[in-house]
Amino acid sequence: MRIDIITALPDIVEGPLQQSILRRAAERRLVDIRVHDLRAYATDKHRQIDDYPFGGGAGMVLKPEPLFACVEAIQDEVDGKVDEVIYLTPDGQTLDQPLANRLSMKDHLVLIAGHYKGIDQRVRDALVTMEVSIGDYVLSGGELPALVLVDAVVRLIPDVLGDASSALTDSFQDGLLDAPVYTRPAEFRGLRVPEVLLSGDHQRIDAWRDEQRIRKTKERRPDLLACEKD
Ligand code: ADE
């Protein structure tokens, strides 16, 4: 999979891409993530990427020209075979596990991280194919949401996670929260690990985990049990 991230603040996104699972996925060529500095696509001599909103109001708006130039340069490079151009915005559809699953099956995503007050509506109308929010709160830019989306999607690409089953048992993957986990020591400050986990009886262990997952989901997220699976 290829992912292009367009941002006015590339430093925010570069660091996390160099760590842990995302870095290893890139090293193993399971994903090719490219970060584009929007300013490099500015067309005027001051390299201006934002401007005041027509009609007044607070905050600056990202200008259309650099965004069009950047998205079109990427599209030209791959003969227009980009699957989705995603704008990260609080008014988009909320990212959830089913959406992450669907996006993980695509070959090429372009992510636009807006800043300031937003991006010129013409970019959204003409270039953007999907608008995604990471939750009902407002961040100061789309960089952290873009990283959240990248992390949620890349870990689902086959072979990215070491243990092939570990993404499947994540919270939400089958509509249930995860069971508690423990590691050594079996007793710490008098607190013991549930006996069943030490039993070696995998049937009992699976049954215990299922029970814990259902109990926790009922307690914390009854809405998940009520809704249909995607
Ligand atoms: N940009 C600012 N806040 C955001 C959010 N909650 N989700 C996606 N993009 C955003």
Short mmCIF file of all heavy atoms in Angstrom, two decimals, residues 16 29-30 44 49-51 53 75 79 81 96 100 110 150 157 166 195 226:
data_model
loop_
_atom_site.label_atom_id
_atom_site.label_comp_id
_atom_site.label_asym_id
_atom_site.label_seq_id
_atom_site.Cartn_x
_atom_site.Cartn_y
_atom_site.Cartn_z
N PRO A 16 6.67 10.09 14.22
CA PRO A 16 5.98 8.83 14.53
C PRO A 16 6.10 7.77 13.43
O PRO A 16 6.03 6.58 13.71
CB PRO A 16 4.52 9.28 14.70
CG PRO A 16 4.61 10.71 15.13
CD PRO A 16 5.80 11.26 14.40
N ARG A 29 8.80 -2.96 3.31
CA ARG A 29 8.11 -2.60 2.06
C ARG A 29 6.66 -3.07 2.02
O ARG A 29 6.11 -3.34 0.94
CB ARG A 29 8.86 -3.13 0.84
CG ARG A 29 10.33 -2.74 0.81
CD ARG A 29 10.86 -2.56 -0.59
NE ARG A 29 12.29 -2.27 -0.59
CZ ARG A 29 12.82 -1.13 -0.18
NH1 ARG A 29 12.06 -0.15 0.26
NH2 ARG A 29 14.13 -0.95 -0.20
N LEU A 30 6.05 -3.16 3.20
CA LEU A 30 4.62 -3.51 3.23
C LEU A 30 3.79 -2.25 3.03
O LEU A 30 2.63 -2.32 2.67
CB LEU A 30 4.28 -4.18 4.57
CG LEU A 30 5.03 -5.50 4.82
CD1 LEU A 30 4.83 -5.99 6.24
CD2 LEU A 30 4.56 -6.56 3.81
N ASP A 44 3.08 31.14 -5.53
CA ASP A 44 3.49 32.55 -5.59
C ASP A 44 4.88 32.73 -4.98
O ASP A 44 5.42 31.83 -4.34
CB ASP A 44 2.45 33.44 -4.89
CG ASP A 44 2.41 33.17 -3.40
OD1 ASP A 44 2.65 32.01 -3.01
OD2 ASP A 44 2.17 34.10 -2.63
N ILE A 49 0.72 29.69 1.56
CA ILE A 49 -0.19 28.53 1.43
C ILE A 49 -1.57 28.79 2.04
O ILE A 49 -2.48 28.00 1.85
CB ILE A 49 0.42 27.26 2.08
CG1 ILE A 49 0.82 27.53 3.53
CG2 ILE A 49 1.60 26.75 1.26
CD1 ILE A 49 1.15 26.27 4.29
N ASP A 50 -1.70 29.92 2.78
CA ASP A 50 -3.00 30.20 3.38
C ASP A 50 -3.36 31.66 3.17
O ASP A 50 -2.52 32.48 2.79
CB ASP A 50 -3.00 29.85 4.87
CG ASP A 50 -1.95 30.64 5.64
OD1 ASP A 50 -1.03 31.20 5.01
OD2 ASP A 50 -2.03 30.69 6.87
N ASP A 51 -4.64 31.97 3.39
CA ASP A 51 -5.09 33.34 3.18
C ASP A 51 -6.35 33.59 4.01
O ASP A 51 -6.94 32.64 4.54
CB ASP A 51 -5.37 33.56 1.68
CG ASP A 51 -5.10 35.01 1.25
OD1 ASP A 51 -5.20 35.91 2.12
OD2 ASP A 51 -4.81 35.22 0.06
N PRO A 53 -10.19 34.28 5.02
CA PRO A 53 -11.44 33.75 4.43
C PRO A 53 -12.25 34.87 3.77
O PRO A 53 -12.40 35.94 4.36
CB PRO A 53 -12.19 33.17 5.64
CG PRO A 53 -11.59 33.80 6.85
CD PRO A 53 -10.21 34.24 6.50
N GLN A 75 -1.28 12.20 -8.34
CA GLN A 75 -2.14 11.46 -9.28
C GLN A 75 -1.41 11.19 -10.60
O GLN A 75 -1.49 10.09 -11.16
CB GLN A 75 -3.44 12.21 -9.53
CG GLN A 75 -4.50 11.85 -8.50
CD GLN A 75 -5.67 12.83 -8.47
OE1 GLN A 75 -5.57 13.93 -9.01
NE2 GLN A 75 -6.76 12.44 -7.82
N ASP A 79 -0.61 7.59 -12.65
CA ASP A 79 -1.62 7.53 -13.73
C ASP A 79 -3.05 7.57 -13.19
O ASP A 79 -3.91 6.81 -13.65
CB ASP A 79 -1.43 6.25 -14.57
CG ASP A 79 -0.15 6.32 -15.38
OD1 ASP A 79 0.24 7.45 -15.77
OD2 ASP A 79 0.46 5.26 -15.60
N LYS A 81 -4.27 6.52 -10.45
CA LYS A 81 -4.76 5.32 -9.76
C LYS A 81 -4.86 5.46 -8.24
O LYS A 81 -4.80 4.46 -7.52
CB LYS A 81 -3.86 4.12 -10.10
CG LYS A 81 -3.96 3.69 -11.56
CD LYS A 81 -3.60 2.22 -11.71
CE LYS A 81 -3.53 1.81 -13.16
NZ LYS A 81 -2.17 1.97 -13.72
N ASP A 96 -13.80 4.38 12.49
CA ASP A 96 -14.02 3.25 13.39
C ASP A 96 -13.35 2.03 12.79
O ASP A 96 -12.75 2.11 11.71
CB ASP A 96 -15.52 3.04 13.67
CG ASP A 96 -16.32 2.81 12.40
OD1 ASP A 96 -15.71 2.63 11.33
OD2 ASP A 96 -17.56 2.80 12.47
N ALA A 100 -11.49 1.44 9.13
CA ALA A 100 -10.06 1.12 9.06
C ALA A 100 -9.86 -0.17 8.25
O ALA A 100 -8.97 -0.25 7.42
CB ALA A 100 -9.47 0.99 10.46
N VAL A 110 -4.37 9.03 -0.35
CA VAL A 110 -3.76 10.35 -0.18
C VAL A 110 -4.50 11.03 0.97
O VAL A 110 -5.73 11.10 0.96
CB VAL A 110 -3.89 11.19 -1.48
CG1 VAL A 110 -3.41 12.62 -1.24
CG2 VAL A 110 -3.08 10.56 -2.61
N VAL A 150 -3.41 6.46 9.75
CA VAL A 150 -2.32 5.64 9.20
C VAL A 150 -2.04 4.45 10.12
O VAL A 150 -1.94 3.31 9.69
CB VAL A 150 -1.04 6.48 8.99
CG1 VAL A 150 0.17 5.59 8.74
CG2 VAL A 150 -1.22 7.45 7.82
N ILE A 157 -2.69 -4.29 7.56
CA ILE A 157 -2.15 -4.83 6.30
C ILE A 157 -1.52 -6.19 6.61
O ILE A 157 -0.78 -6.32 7.59
CB ILE A 157 -1.10 -3.86 5.70
CG1 ILE A 157 -1.77 -2.53 5.33
CG2 ILE A 157 -0.42 -4.48 4.48
CD1 ILE A 157 -0.79 -1.45 4.91
N SER A 166 -3.12 -11.32 16.00
CA SER A 166 -3.29 -10.32 17.05
C SER A 166 -4.18 -9.15 16.64
O SER A 166 -4.86 -8.59 17.49
CB SER A 166 -1.94 -9.84 17.59
OG SER A 166 -1.29 -9.06 16.65
N GLU A 195 -6.32 -17.88 37.85
CA GLU A 195 -5.79 -19.25 37.80
C GLU A 195 -5.93 -19.89 36.41
O GLU A 195 -5.03 -20.58 35.93
CB GLU A 195 -6.56 -20.08 38.85
CG GLU A 195 -5.78 -21.23 39.42
CD GLU A 195 -4.39 -20.83 39.95
OE1 GLU A 195 -4.30 -19.83 40.69
OE2 GLU A 195 -3.42 -21.52 39.56
N ALA A 226 -25.54 -3.74 21.04
CA ALA A 226 -26.86 -3.48 20.44
C ALA A 226 -26.79 -3.32 18.94
O ALA A 226 -27.76 -3.62 18.23
CB ALA A 226 -27.45 -2.21 21.07
#
